[in-house]
Amino acid sequence: MLTRTKLQRFSISIVALALLAASSTTPPQADPTRYLADVKTLASPEMEGRGDGSKGLTRAEHMIEKRYKELHLDPAGVDGYSQPFSVITGARLKDDNRCSALESGSRKDLKVEQDFVPFSFSSSGQVDAPLVFAGYGATADEFHYDDYAGFDVKDKIVLVLRYEPAGFAAKSGNHGLTHHSQLITKAINARNHGAKALIVVNGKLGDGEEDLLTRFGSVSGPENVGIGMVQVKNLMADAWFQSAGKTLKDVQEQINSSGSPASFSFPANLHLALKIEIETTRATVNNVLAWLPGQSDEYVIIGAHYDHLGRGNFDSLAPSQIGQIHPGADDNASGTAGVLELARLLARQRGQLKRSILFMNFAGEELGLLGSAEWVKEPTKPLAKAVAMINMDMIGRIRDDKVYIGGVGTGSNFKTVLEQAQKDNPFTVEYSAGGYSSSDHTSFVSKQIPVLFFFSGLHSDYHKPSDTWDKINASSATRLLDVVENVALQLADAQGRPTFQVVAEEKPPGGGGGGGYGPYFGSIPDFGQEVNGVKFSDVRPNSPAAKAGLKAGDILVQFGDKPIKNLYDFTDALRRSKVGDVVEVKVMRDGQPISANVKLEHRK
Ligand SMILES: [Zn+2]
């Protein structure tokens, strides 16, 4: 055993050696050629856009795992390098979907995907009920318009028009349609009025526009919106309007010209019989996790999601190109290749750094941060030993050296560390203090782990087939990787670790702010949880939710008079509220219902 003085002298000489090493050699730099080759492979046709549940994602997973093995990094998953978890990848129409119109003994059967089609978020089940017409299916207090006013639709099948009454957009002061035009909003509204099922028709078409049915699965929504919902063609609905002595066209024109509802019941001898059978499709996907051992069990996380949209069946921003591969070169082959390049550079320091490094590649990000949510729920290394999480999501499109770095306020020393890292390698940085946004670091900040998020900004190819490898700025991305490497090394080698700091958040998660989301509530939804209600992964300090005593882990099940089954219900209920409203909400906490009064505030 060494004496204390010897130990001290020994330590000093190690520090001196380390300093000498640091000053004589700069750390190895990221290589643009290698980096771009990895982006190209990940965004290649063989990877099929890396959709969750696809063979292409599995190929990407194998590529990442193979690389970690070659670098002799230790497996850090549940099963080798992998951490498997189950996700909902979509929905499938089963064989027996039916829609029939029954009128005084005669029966007309509509053909599925020809005359009618269920929506993928519809409930499954059978309904046989009288039919009523409820205009656009809108209840818009702010425009003094309600298709359901004084009209009882309980246990009826409600037929509504797509879109919204003429003039809503102008009255709202915004361009484009309001949320009342959204199918989910119509579904929730019909369900909350007690309807048994909802039928949507296109109604008036533009010049030369065809009366098309929506492609099954192309509109995203909750797994189950809580009401049966199908679209039928105008031609089918026309026949029903005839039985009521009306035409679809006239009634729609009447609503639009008068600005008032024209709801009515179809003759009592007209019934509709619906049978909807939808199967939720699931898949097992894997996070890929590798460990670079340091001298202690504390560790720095470097992560990126490697999944993308596959062929764009949901969340594509190029709806006419659904079915084509969405290669996701920037989103997020760019970050994935970044993690691999940093793994290559840092692997040489095995056993030498003060702390260890955990490399993470997440699946399920595009479905709602599911991979990172899975990891923080079932961590493969102790959460308390994670000193910081560095996330890269879309770092491939740097223009004019401009980058965005988020989470800077979540770690006590992050600003200094970032400035040091850019001393000889500066970028024009837009910093934001908060750690919540629409990528995987959000899962970590909700566990009080300091996070840093590197991002090169949105662009017009985002979530489209045109997000291709040839548009990646590899030289700037690798220069940014040098900064990230420097940050990781500082965090891994510093004497102390950053303290987690709570940041009063300015923006809601997802980036969307604005009046369209209603007043401010202040909860962060837990996307990784399948529960009946909305589970809070966190509650923002000083927010209306916090002031009312709501906490992380609470499950919101009731908002005023509205049941909350999922995030869509919650968003809808919030949009229907006003700043200053005091809303009685019900949450489940440890299995017990708790009521609280939340006073809604302005979004800042
Ligand atoms: Zn994305």
Side-chain angles (χ1 to χ4, degrees), residues 305 308 331 365-366 462-463:
H305 77 86
H308 191 52
D331 186 9
E365 192 271 354
E366 300 284 10
Y462 171 66
H463 279 203

Side-chain angles (χ1 to χ4, degrees), residues 305 307-309 315 331-332 365-366 393-394 438 462-463 467:
H305 77 86
D307 65 313
H308 191 52
L309 304 179
D315 285 347
D331 186 9
N332 187 27
E365 192 271 354
E366 300 284 10
D393 191 355
M394 300 174 64
S438 46
Y462 171 66
H463 279 203
D467 180 7

